[in-house]
Amino acid sequence: MTVALRYAARSDVGLVRSNNQDSAYAGPHLLMVADGMGGHAGGDVASSVAVAAFAPLDGESHGPDDALDELETALANARDEIIARSDADPDLGGMGTTVLAILRAGNKLAMVHLGDSRGYLMRDGVLTQVTTDHTFVQHLVDIGRITPEEAEHHPQRSVVMRVLGDFDPEVTPDLSVREARPGDRWLLCSDGLSGFVSAETIEETMATIDDVDACADRLVQLALRAGGGDNITVVLADVIELDAVADGAGPTTNATVVGAAALSRNAPTAAADGPAARAAGLTRAAPVEEASDEQAAEPPPADDDDEQPTPPRRWRSVVAWVVVAAVVLGGAAIAYGWTQTQYYVGVDGQEVVIFRGIPQDLGPVPLSSVVERTGTSLDDLASGYLRARVEQTIHAESLDDARDLVAMLEEDTVGTVPPKSSPSSSPSPSVSVTPTAAP
């Protein structure tokens, strides 16, 4: 039995983000999604570097026995390139990316995974998540603190514990090998899809839309209709048996690059009409409309002969300002009270501590204070990525959540990715590695 893949790849900037930091690749032998992070200056670079490092694997020069070695080598090469770029450009410091890649070698599928991009397998009409999120909330699920349903809406669901970046020279990925079974449908996606569209809706869509291109388009539109709050990237692939396909229904043969690694990385959203798309359009148009309204409402310059305001008018102005001041002060008191119900994990000196409040100041008045010290030094944290996240502060829903997060930080350890020989190269499509942040 000889199998092949019929696939499609899509990436959309979404309705909130200013640039696309996701990258993806889909070819006859390689499927990959990378979700970049590190702010506007680095996420797109990191994800496109990762795709460029893996793209040469899309060929038949490797067998089932060495597929995992090839993936580990590509991961190490991507890490080295990310570190080199960060060293050359300080503005890119702290960048990183998730990595989820499947390499087909004969009838086997080798997978490497870091981060919270997800891999799903639909077999016999049932959808199963085959990857485990490397996130804080997944840890809470694993130890029984919260349910999987609660994890989907947890405020810390975006806190990723393992990624590929310039902060950890060595990090341990999840590696696995599975059978490529005809009739299987694979989905690789960034959290722009899985974080906004339920698994039940994803399952129904994948089960009811046979065409991979139409199904991939539909999944992206579902994420956009759900708010499009993040970049959305989807790679969808059907495993087919070559001897059993009908004429004209053969495998896909051309490779596709989408997102930040593609030449079309600055493409606008493909959002169809819907409440979220209309709201985003109004938000983008608001500054222009407000400027026009202000210009229209601005009174013409007064002539020197105009009468001065009468005393009653001046008193009305004074009363109005008093009312405004009272409202502002009352609102400020309410807002300050709300800040004191918030918690976050941050750094005081070099110690990891729990704060009550928010990490901001109102003029000379700080809006947070240390509520609990951990005795853990920032340098004690094994992961450089986590050290950077703590320095940037991590929001917690409650004091107990903050304590759980500190416990997870203290338990985190970093494994070792052994060096491998460089993979043999094979022809691959052009991949654009973003040199700097997208404008």
PDB file of all heavy atoms in Angstrom, residues 87 108 121 134 179 214 397:
ATOM      1  N   ASP A  87      21.345  37.791  18.337  1.00  0.00           N
ATOM      2  CA  ASP A  87      22.653  38.359  18.651  1.00  0.00           C
ATOM      3  C   ASP A  87      22.999  39.507  17.708  1.00  0.00           C
ATOM      4  O   ASP A  87      23.618  40.496  18.116  1.00  0.00           O
ATOM      5  CB  ASP A  87      23.736  37.274  18.568  1.00  0.00           C
ATOM      6  CG  ASP A  87      23.627  36.252  19.694  1.00  0.00           C
ATOM      7  OD1 ASP A  87      22.951  36.561  20.703  1.00  0.00           O
ATOM      8  OD2 ASP A  87      24.210  35.159  19.569  1.00  0.00           O
ATOM      9  N   LYS A 108       4.751   6.140   7.344  1.00  0.00           N
ATOM     10  CA  LYS A 108       4.881   6.589   8.724  1.00  0.00           C
ATOM     11  C   LYS A 108       4.853   8.112   8.792  1.00  0.00           C
ATOM     12  O   LYS A 108       5.318   8.799   7.865  1.00  0.00           O
ATOM     13  CB  LYS A 108       6.176   6.072   9.348  1.00  0.00           C
ATOM     14  CG  LYS A 108       6.293   4.547   9.390  1.00  0.00           C
ATOM     15  CD  LYS A 108       5.234   3.931  10.295  1.00  0.00           C
ATOM     16  CE  LYS A 108       5.413   2.409  10.378  1.00  0.00           C
ATOM     17  NZ  LYS A 108       4.380   1.779  11.241  1.00  0.00           N
ATOM     18  N   LEU A 121      -6.256  14.601  14.939  1.00  0.00           N
ATOM     19  CA  LEU A 121      -6.448  13.502  14.000  1.00  0.00           C
ATOM     20  C   LEU A 121      -7.917  13.112  13.987  1.00  0.00           C
ATOM     21  O   LEU A 121      -8.492  12.811  15.043  1.00  0.00           O
ATOM     22  CB  LEU A 121      -5.600  12.289  14.407  1.00  0.00           C
ATOM     23  CG  LEU A 121      -5.897  10.970  13.663  1.00  0.00           C
ATOM     24  CD1 LEU A 121      -5.628  11.116  12.168  1.00  0.00           C
ATOM     25  CD2 LEU A 121      -5.074   9.826  14.259  1.00  0.00           C
ATOM     26  N   HIS A 134       1.928  22.673  25.820  1.00  0.00           N
ATOM     27  CA  HIS A 134       2.981  22.976  26.785  1.00  0.00           C
ATOM     28  C   HIS A 134       2.656  24.313  27.446  1.00  0.00           C
ATOM     29  O   HIS A 134       3.345  25.316  27.250  1.00  0.00           O
ATOM     30  CB  HIS A 134       4.348  23.017  26.101  1.00  0.00           C
ATOM     31  CG  HIS A 134       4.739  21.704  25.501  1.00  0.00           C
ATOM     32  ND1 HIS A 134       5.482  21.604  24.343  1.00  0.00           N
ATOM     33  CD2 HIS A 134       4.474  20.435  25.873  1.00  0.00           C
ATOM     34  CE1 HIS A 134       5.670  20.332  24.046  1.00  0.00           C
ATOM     35  NE2 HIS A 134       5.060  19.601  24.964  1.00  0.00           N
ATOM     36  N   GLU A 179       1.199   5.785  12.320  1.00  0.00           N
ATOM     37  CA  GLU A 179       0.932   5.207  11.012  1.00  0.00           C
ATOM     38  C   GLU A 179       0.120   6.187  10.170  1.00  0.00           C
ATOM     39  O   GLU A 179      -0.801   6.844  10.679  1.00  0.00           O
ATOM     40  CB  GLU A 179       0.160   3.901  11.168  1.00  0.00           C
ATOM     41  CG  GLU A 179      -0.198   3.231   9.852  1.00  0.00           C
ATOM     42  CD  GLU A 179      -1.100   2.039  10.042  1.00  0.00           C
ATOM     43  OE1 GLU A 179      -1.486   1.758  11.194  1.00  0.00           O
ATOM     44  OE2 GLU A 179      -1.442   1.391   9.029  1.00  0.00           O
ATOM     45  N   ALA A 214     -11.820  23.776   0.785  1.00  0.00           N
ATOM     46  CA  ALA A 214     -13.050  24.374   1.310  1.00  0.00           C
ATOM     47  C   ALA A 214     -13.122  24.241   2.826  1.00  0.00           C
ATOM     48  O   ALA A 214     -13.572  25.155   3.520  1.00  0.00           O
ATOM     49  CB  ALA A 214     -14.264  23.720   0.658  1.00  0.00           C
ATOM     50  N   GLU A 397      -5.673  35.017  38.024  1.00  0.00           N
ATOM     51  CA  GLU A 397      -7.081  35.270  38.303  1.00  0.00           C
ATOM     52  C   GLU A 397      -7.332  35.496  39.788  1.00  0.00           C
ATOM     53  O   GLU A 397      -8.256  36.215  40.168  1.00  0.00           O
ATOM     54  CB  GLU A 397      -7.912  34.081  37.804  1.00  0.00           C
ATOM     55  CG  GLU A 397      -9.412  34.278  37.894  1.00  0.00           C
ATOM     56  CD  GLU A 397      -9.950  35.259  36.871  1.00  0.00           C
ATOM     57  OE1 GLU A 397      -9.171  35.725  36.015  1.00  0.00           O
ATOM     58  OE2 GLU A 397     -11.149  35.566  36.945  1.00  0.00           O
TER      59      GLU A 397
END
